[in-house]
Amino acid sequence: MYRGRLKKDFDLWVAKGLLPAATAEALMQEYDARPHSFTVGRVLMMLAAVLIAAAILLFVAANWEGMERTLRVGLLLAALWAFHGAAAYTAIRGSNYLPGIFLVLGTATFGASIALIAQMYHISGDGLSANLVWFIMCTVSALLFRSSPLTYFAGLLSWFQFGLLIDHSDFVVSDPWFFATPVQALVVVALAYYTGAMRARHLSYLVGLAWVARIYVDHRLGLPAWQIAVVGTLLFLAAALPASPLHRLARAAGPAPAFYSFVLALMGLLLWQIDVGNFFGSDSSALHEAVPAILAAAFAVLGIALEGRDNGAIRYLGYVVFAGELLYLSMEVIGSMLGTSGIFLLSGLFLGLVAWLVIRLEKRFGARQEPREV
């Protein structure tokens, strides 16, 4: 997708005489020569590795009852060491993708070994503990081999841990498993920066949002939706406002911090809108129901104004939320064509004012950045 946009821009600049054709061709060749994290061949090889791991485990499981315990453990340990040894050997030989495949096979074998050995020796425990051991082993291997595939594997294990946590009966702050999900998410983010698997960060951001939603759903914790909206708004402003001390750090991390904090704030506002009684109690009225909808629409406009130019995800999500909230206000709250026309008029005037201010600010910032003549 990015290559297509880049090629289109180069062709346009060449047609306008802004870029020589030879330079554009050289730039495209340099881009194509880079090692890309996503290729069809690598994806197919990784799927083949998963199928091979499943075949090995199913073969062992099919003959499990007929094997001696020592042979069972020996087979599992031999497979574990063989896969990691093959990963080390191919890494030393300079292979680009074979080490990752063997590491995925070894890590999958380790996870299956935990379950099979625990069953064989009747070791007591729960899925949370077993998955945590699996996650730790995957993290250590990712660090030692600086493996991008294992970083994604660790991200998936953090989601698996969260799934197990949903069924955990003691989901309270005093529970030692309560903060397992955010800690694992932070570990995966650190691994992503260390191994270069930057897309794996999205697994962490998404599981973090799911964890917050889980806290909200669990009424024992008593987390109102408006508090989620406030936290998300503060995080978004910290990432988007140029005056924020965290703005430069957020920019260096790419568009993800601003986008996911934007999503967190909208999630809180939409949850508040769905369950407006959490804030106003039993005396909720049409005005009370309109408050979170108006705030969500206004926050969508704010997000577009601050990050819409450079962050397409925020821009399109802001469009959808703003249009949806206006539709909700016109159909559910206002209840008349005259009231609907009034809210549309006020919204149009407000957006026009915001657009005028944004244009003036962009012109002022652009004038400041222009080099002065000596």
Side-chain angles (χ1 to χ4, degrees):
M1 184 180 294
Y2 173 71
R3 187 189 187 281
R5 294 198 305 267
L6 190 64
K7 182 68 166 58
K8 184 178 179 180
D9 288 338
F10 283 167
D11 292 341
L12 178 62
W13 295 336
V14 170
K16 291 185 175 181
L18 300 175
L19 186 67
T23 303
E25 182 65 23
L27 290 172
M28 288 305 304
Q29 291 178 359
E30 191 279 333
Y31 176 79
D32 291 335
R34 297 178 186 176
H36 299 287
S37 58
F38 175 82
T39 63
V40 176
R42 290 189 181 184
V43 171
L44 293 177
M45 289 294 292
M46 196 58 64
L47 292 176
V50 173
L51 292 174
I52 293 172
I56 293 174
L57 295 176
L58 288 174
F59 174 79
V60 173
N63 299 275
W64 193 250
E65 298 298 332
M67 297 180 185
E68 297 290 336
R69 286 188 176 183
T70 305
L71 180 59
R72 298 175 188 177
V73 176
L75 284 175
L76 293 174
L77 292 178
L80 186 63
W81 281 102
F83 286 136
H84 282 82
Y89 175 76
T90 53
I92 294 173
R93 294 295 298 270
S95 176
N96 291 326
Y97 57 89
L98 286 178
I101 293 174
F102 286 122
L103 287 173
V104 169
L105 288 170
T107 305
T109 303
F110 181 83
S113 300
I114 295 176
L116 293 175
I117 291 177
Q119 180 185 18
M120 183 172 54
Y121 290 99
H122 305 288
I123 301 174
S124 61
D126 54 21
L128 289 169
S129 301
N131 189 71
L132 180 61
V133 174
W134 195 3
F135 178 84
I136 293 174
M137 184 270 178
C138 181
T139 301
V140 172
S141 296
L143 289 173
L144 292 177
F145 288 89
R146 204 161 193 168
S147 172
S148 297
L150 284 190
T151 302
Y152 290 103
F153 202 116
L156 294 176
L157 288 178
S158 68
W159 270 99
F160 186 36
Q161 186 85 356
F162 175 71
L164 294 173
L165 187 64
I166 291 178
D167 295 331
H168 195 52
S169 58
D170 299 328
F171 190 72
V172 292
V173 179
S174 59
D175 185 0
W177 293 110
F178 182 80
F179 293 104
T181 295
V183 170
Q184 286 181 327
L186 292 175
V187 170
V188 173
V189 170
L191 280 178
Y193 279 100
Y194 179 70
T195 62
M198 301 305 290
R199 292 188 180 91
R201 295 178 302 164
H202 296 291
L203 294 171
S204 298
Y205 297 141
L206 290 172
V207 79
L209 292 175
W211 182 73
V212 172
R214 174 71 174 84
I215 296 176
Y216 170 78
V217 171
D218 198 317
H219 297 290
R220 290 175 297 176
L221 300 177
L223 178 65
W226 68 268
Q227 291 184 3
I228 299 176
V230 169
V231 172
T233 301
L234 294 177
L235 291 175
F236 174 74
L237 294 177
L241 288 178
S244 168
L246 299 177
H247 176 70
R248 181 172 298 181
L249 182 63
R251 284 290 186 183
F259 172 72
Y260 285 105
S261 57
F262 184 72
V263 172
L264 179 63
L266 287 177
M267 183 177 73
L269 289 169
L270 294 178
L271 288 174
W272 178 16
Q273 184 176 341
I274 293 172
D275 191 16
V276 70
N278 285 352
F279 186 77
F280 290 106
S282 58
D283 298 328
S284 61
S285 62
L287 178 61
H288 293 157
E289 294 175 2
V291 170
I294 294 173
L295 289 178
F299 184 73
V301 174
L302 177 65
I304 295 172
L306 292 179
E307 288 287 327
R309 185 183 64 178
D310 301 324
N311 197 322
I314 288 180
R315 181 169 65 251
Y316 293 121
L317 180 60
Y319 291 156
V320 171
V321 171
F322 181 79
E325 293 298 353
L326 283 185
L327 184 63
Y328 169 80
L329 288 171
S330 63
M331 296 179 62
E332 299 294 336
V333 178
I334 300 171
S336 67
M337 294 183 64
L338 182 62
T340 302
S341 65
I343 195 65
F344 283 169
L345 175 62
L346 293 176
S347 300
L349 293 175
F350 173 72
L351 278 183
L353 177 61
V354 171
W356 178 78
L357 290 174
V358 170
I359 292 172
R360 292 294 301 272
L361 290 174
E362 287 179 347
K363 288 183 177 180
R364 181 174 299 180
F365 291 151
R368 289 180 180 178
Q369 294 175 357
E370 292 179 357
R372 297 180 179 179
E373 296 182 359
V374 181

